Amino acid sequence: TNTSQPKRADRSKVYVADLESTLHYSLRVEAARTAVLSGDQLATFKCYVAMLVKYFPGRPCVQTYLQSLDGWLRNWTEPELPRSALKEAMKNNRDASHPAVLPTNVSWVGCRGSEPHFRGYPCGLWTVFHLLTVQAAQSGPDKELPLEVLSAMRCYVRHFFGCQECAQHFEAMAAESMDRVAGREEAVLWLWSHHNEVNARLAGGDTEDPKFPKLQWPPPDMCPQCHKEERGVHAWDEPAVLTFLKAHFSPANIYPDYAE
Ligand code: FAD
């Protein structure tokens, strides 16, 4: 029977399961693949966790988890970090008066593919990165550290993302234009427009889930005001897109899993 299957996800929502599954997989599986972290990889990992602490809008136990991992990493001043020590530091702590827990199961709701080899983690990683650029834009002066999230994400993708071909494509896009981003809102739009470039490149290809065709996002039925026409040619209304992204990737639009 199909009773354990979640209800069909609502694509206008962001789901806790996707966010937490992504963080678990990224921190405990993907970043912990090599026997020892050192040099640029170690610096990237520390920077990534520090950025998550600042901007990931997690449940209290997840925020405590990230804070305690960040504190532990800051105290690790040796040049090499063995995976065994890192894995120990990344265990959950349920006993403390403030539990530090990042669930260890991987389950996809909004990112669930029609087959297990579709969607999942790469979808979750995009979702987390969009969420972080939006939270950063909502929390500090626009012109202050505009590249804080994008740089951490760029380093993460370069040093850890398991899909090497993806990492190379992304690095090429970043090298071309990321450094020109001058504000936090511009960073939100940079990630959005480059994700759409990736969507266009991959549309119709063999990694595309046939049930989730790659679109220029958000499509008109999700955000009619994001689309306009200039002399008969489609154009984006970027201020409207920014408003849409801020609402879509806001804590108020993050839903518990399997919501009715
Ligand atoms: P995804 O593209 O993963 O999008 C996830 C969700 O984000 C969507 O469901 C939608 O809700 C939302 N979304 C979609 N577009 C946007 C947008 N423009 N702005 C904001 N939100 C949006 N795969 C390859 O085969 N080759 C590659 O070179 C490649 N490069 C990648 C680079 C990176 C950095 C990442 C994270 C992934 C890459 N992938 C690549 C994987 C690919 O982009 C998809 O993640 C994967 O195919 C799953 O697609 P999806 O349909 O779940 O939607």
Side-chain angles (χ1 to χ4, degrees):
T1 65
N2 246 347
T3 50
S4 65
Q5 288 286 310
K7 298 208 166 53
R8 202 175 152 71
D10 179 342
R11 69 195 175 113
S12 70
K13 292 177 176 168
V14 173
Y15 292 96
V16 174
D18 296 316
L19 303 175
E20 292 183 357
S21 295
T22 299
L23 288 193
H24 162 72
Y25 189 84
S26 144
L27 296 169
R28 294 199 185 103
V29 182
E30 197 164 63
R33 274 208 184 108
T34 51
V36 175
L37 290 183
S38 63
D40 287 349
Q41 259 196 330
L42 179 56
T44 294
F45 189 72
K46 288 182 170 185
C47 166
Y48 178 58
V49 173
M51 189 268 289
L52 290 173
V53 166
K54 276 178 89 169
Y55 300 122
F56 183 75
R59 296 185 291 142
C61 65
V62 174
Q63 292 199 328
T64 306
Y65 177 90
L66 293 169
Q67 280 158 9
S68 82
L69 177 58
D70 181 49
W72 187 88
L73 287 167
R74 283 172 195 271
N75 283 331
W76 188 276
T77 50
E78 287 167 51
E80 297 200 330
L81 171 52
R83 173 173 56 200
S84 52
L86 180 59
K87 286 221 151 174
E88 192 59 36
M90 288 199 289
K91 284 187 175 160
N92 287 331
N93 181 358
R94 291 190 163 80
D95 305 327
S97 57
H98 297 286
V101 179
L102 175 64
T104 55
N105 57 313
V106 172
S107 73
W108 306 111
V109 178
C111 285
R112 175 179 290 252
S114 65
E115 304 270 355
H117 61 281
F118 288 131
R119 310 191 73 218
Y121 178 63
C123 169
L125 201 59
W126 279 122
T127 307
V128 166
F129 286 151
H130 289 295
L131 185 64
L132 292 166
T133 58
V134 167
Q135 292 326 294
Q138 301 285 37
S139 69
D142 190 58
K143 297 288 179 268
E144 203 169 279
L145 299 174
L147 287 173
E148 195 180 10
V149 173
L150 289 183
S151 303
M153 170 190 166
R154 177 181 180 179
C155 291
Y156 181 85
V157 168
R158 182 170 21 175
H159 289 290
F160 296 110
F161 193 36
C163 168
Q164 301 216 337
E165 185 199 322
C166 305
Q168 280 165 13
H169 278 133
F170 191 76
E171 178 53 34
M173 292 196 306
E176 202 177 282
S177 62
M178 192 184 267
D179 290 343
R180 287 199 297 274
V181 171
R184 294 180 184 216
E185 296 196 327
E186 208 181 315
V188 173
L189 288 171
W190 187 92
L191 192 60
W192 160 76
S193 68
H194 287 80
H195 188 174
N196 270 340
E197 254 183 55
V198 175
N199 293 342
R201 183 160 50 78
L202 299 179
D206 53 10
T207 59
E208 180 180 69
D209 187 333
K211 296 272 165 61
F212 296 88
K214 303 260 184 265
L215 302 167
Q216 291 300 288
W217 193 92
D221 59 321
M222 273 182 102
C223 181
Q225 66 278 19
C226 291
H227 299 261
K228 60 182 184 183
E229 236 180 62
E230 275 168 359
R231 285 179 238 102
V233 180
H234 175 269
W236 292 101
D237 184 327
E238 290 199 351
V241 171
L242 184 62
T243 302
F244 175 84
L245 292 169
K246 284 182 173 176
H248 184 81
F249 295 106
S250 82
N253 197 39
I254 301 175
Y255 286 81
D257 325 336
Y258 315 125
E260 292 298 315

